[in-house]
Amino acid sequence: MRLSDDVLLDVMARFQAEMVKGLGRDTNPTATVKMLPSFVRSLPDGSEKGEFLAVDLGGSQFRAHQVKVFDDGRQSSQLESKSYPTPKEVTQGNGAELFDYIADCLSDFMETRNLKNKKLPLGFTFSFPCRQTKLEEGVLLAWTKHFRVRGVQDTDVVSSLRRALQKHQDIDVDVLALVNDTVGTMMTCGYDDQRCEVGLIIGTGTNACYMEEMRHISLVEGDEGRMCINTEWGAFGDDGALDDLRTEFDRELDLGSLNPGKQLFEKMISSLYLGELVRLILLKMTKEGLLFNGKVSTALLTKGKIEMKHVSAMEKYKEGLSNTKEILTGLNLFPSEEDCVAVQHVCTIVSFRSANLCAAALAAILTRLRENKKLLRMRTTVGIDGGLYKTHPKFAKRLHKAVRRLVPTCDVRFLLSAGGSGRGARRRLDAALAPFLLPPGTLREVRDKMRAELEYGLKREAQGKATVKMLPTYVCGTPDGTEKGKFLALDLGGTNFRVLLVKIKSGRRRSVQMYNKIFAIPLEIMQGTGEELFDHIVQCIAEFLEYMGIKGARLPLGFTFSFPCRQASIDKGTLVGWTKGFKATDCEGEDVVDMLREAIRRRNEFDLDIVAVVNDTVGTMMTCGYEDPNCEIGLIAGTGSNVCYMEDMKNIEIVEGNEGKMCINTEWGAFGDNGCIDYIRTKYDREVDEGSLNPGKQRYEKMTSGMYLGEIVRQILIDLTKQGLLFRGHISESLRKRGIFETKFLSQIESDRLALLQVRRILQQLGLDSTCDDSIIVKEVCGVVSTRAARLCGAGLAAVVEKKRENRGVERLQITVVPLPSAVCSFALFSTVLRETVKELAPQCDVTFMLSEDGSGKGAALITAVAKRLHNVGQK
Ligand code: BG6
Ligand code: BG6
Ligand code: GLC
Ligand code: GLC
């Protein structure tokens, strides 16, 4: 009974051949695997709504259901069910009685659910092989499992049910569809996961259905699209195709069944038979003196005494031997410990074989699907139901493992068919995330709109009106290598506030040395008064000078100030408005260099020569410009998002002169503040915006930068939790806290190498108690949010490089962009997606990304050095 992978691959190949045989018009009549067309052509698409009835006959339970599907945009549905017994008189009596019984139960159900006055459509799940010519008709080919009702075979079961229902004057039910349980399961799961295209039952019986190409189904007219095929794989081997694998126990079991010679594959797999197989094996072992001292009990001799539930219980190894002992004692056997161990072993071998055989046939179906789609690798979902799969402690795992081994080219999701609240979960998740998946056309629109805003911002008439401000920086050239000396630099506005000492050497020993110290800026200072903020900055400078032992020297200083400033020269900068996490009072509209000078004067401890104020993008571009004069674009995707680039003077209307170039700080973070990209903003973006320090401002930045991505994720998670899709529907205290999702966590969670267990650990650290499913969802949400950020950023960058190309009037442009390895940009997914997007949207530009490790401080010092040199030249 132990089957090696080679044997399983062989079984898989045999089943593949059976499927082909069943599908062929000429071969079908003699095929054992019937491959029955179901007339179901597509999965539910979410537009379904209304109230339905269903009866479900053929599994371990006979049930009536009432299903309500709501069209409330959330794809929710409600399921109410009731089970009815199926005594032997029903399962093995005569046809008329069976259908009367079904109709009676349905009438009772409608009575209890108060539905008698309604006219309702009914779906009939009838889990036996039926030949259908349309959805609402099916001729029973043969009974299987524990059913053998006289006078039904070869007749249409739908008309029989209709006739029985007509006898009930008090109910009005319309039988609209006949489906096999495999098909019903595929549809249930397909409602949650659109990728579902296989339905699998491993319960009382076993069977699978899948979506086949119409052109391969010769029994049905038409070549377009797909149709679900009920394989009826239980009959595999009925022509002897598996005889080499069947044991004496399989043969004995078959002889004692209701349908000898039929459903031979099913009899090696499904729960109706596994207990019996175990019994037959134990009986033989006992008779041979290998068990129970050779003493056979009456119970052991009785057919059906060992059931699937016993086998499952005995395989719960964690519970030791107690279950096994109890069950065997109940059969009047007196097991020793060794007997118990041996019996456990038998159970495992029998159920393991079942999982393996199932996997082999499923592998054949998956391979066929993949080949139909002409794919090398395929991602798909298998919807599953059935008692053996659901309740046996190890079955599911064994099946999954074997399938993954047998078809390594398929990434399979096994989705358990869940009634009630679970329904529509996947669909609701997809619906929440769909607005984040920007199609290429939309991205091109974003690129073009950005381009238009860039052009507009350069115009004279746009001053004070443009959303993308295109601020001149008065940085006109790159360093020429003659710069030298000691400089101070301040770097304010990113995650860290830094003070730096930069030593630049020129000539042959040309080099740059840097010393820096990071200081914290407490929230109350960021959002206090302007004076407090600048006093704090000067306090930090004082500490740094002290620390470096250079308090006496009056060093030239470059001030990286990463906020929008309108400049009239390189050492003047009026703050247009705070962005990101800053909101100190009395600063907007003021010259930040003056404010810094005044604070130095207030402290009256040292003096500094403030030579330049630069944006972080500009500093960053210069840092690399020192090594590579091709660096004409600086990009920051950090706490905030911004780009600067070298623009031709003749295009900058508000600055005098037409010669040469000047660096423009685009301040593209404000792109969209005029509403031009509102159509791609989601409700989560709006929530994040409303909760921010600057509502309505920096709309593009809020979709692309580190300060906001975590907040977007948090808003989505809250919404999903409210919908009951996450954290068991419970919104924890920590989830309510703004800012718990730092970008750092986001990039950790999203990193591909991190296994889900670690994701869970991260969530735990955040105080979010998650299940494994939760971590999968959280990971997906993080991925979707950061991918959108990178694509939007890429669309913006494509507009900038295209503009540069047209400025230069060349067919192809080689250009270097310097992105900072900041919080957002350093995660692999972000930078990969960013690059891909630029390539896609600016195909005529070859963009090299040159990562600057040095931050913007070096660049600020270099700008200071250049300015100082030019200043000195001017004075002379
Ligand atoms: C049930 C389905 O959940 O599972 C039935 O509703 C199906 O349609 C049955 O036949 C199969 O499992 P079992 O173990 O009840 O035979
Ligand atoms: C730093 C630069 O490396 O990156 C700063 O020196 C810049 O000038 C910052 O503002 C941007 O990244 P983040 O992630 O700190 O906002
Ligand atoms: C039997 C039936 C089949 C059903 C399966 C699972 O194999 O013939 O139609 O799908 O059991 O219930
Ligand atoms: C914000 C600032 C901008 C800065 C960017 C990156 O967008 O307004 O000046 O360059 O953040 O730090």
Side-chain angles (χ1 to χ4, degrees), residues 414-450:
F414 293 91
L415 184 62
L416 199 60
S417 143
S421 68
R423 281 176 186 222
R426 177 72 237 177
R427 183 181 297 279
R428 261 138 67 203
L429 182 63
D430 285 344
L433 297 182
F436 287 87
L437 312 175
L438 304 172
T442 309
L443 278 183
R444 280 194 293 274
E445 277 166 32
V446 171
R447 174 198 62 193
D448 297 344
K449 287 186 201 258
M450 175 67 91

Side-chain angles (χ1 to χ4, degrees), residues 491-496 498 560 562 580 616 620 636-640 820 822-824 854-857:
D491 186 352
L492 178 79
T495 314
N496 296 310
R498 272 185 293 195
T560 302
S562 311
K580 301 180 280 193
D616 53 354
T620 301
I636 303 255
T639 311
L820 266 188
S822 56
V824 178
D854 289 340
S856 67

Side-chain angles (χ1 to χ4, degrees), residues 455-467:
E455 301 289 355
Y456 179 64
L458 288 172
K459 299 267 179 292
R460 189 180 298 278
E461 84 253 19
Q463 290 317 297
K465 283 190 275 175
T467 47

Side-chain angles (χ1 to χ4, degrees), residues 16 164 169 207 219 221 239 252 293 337 420 440 518 631 682 847:
Q16 266 171 313
Q169 298 297 323
N207 189 15
L219 293 166
E221 288 297 312
D239 56 356
E252 204 177 332
N293 279 325
E337 196 147 298
I518 293 179
C631 273
T682 64
V847 183

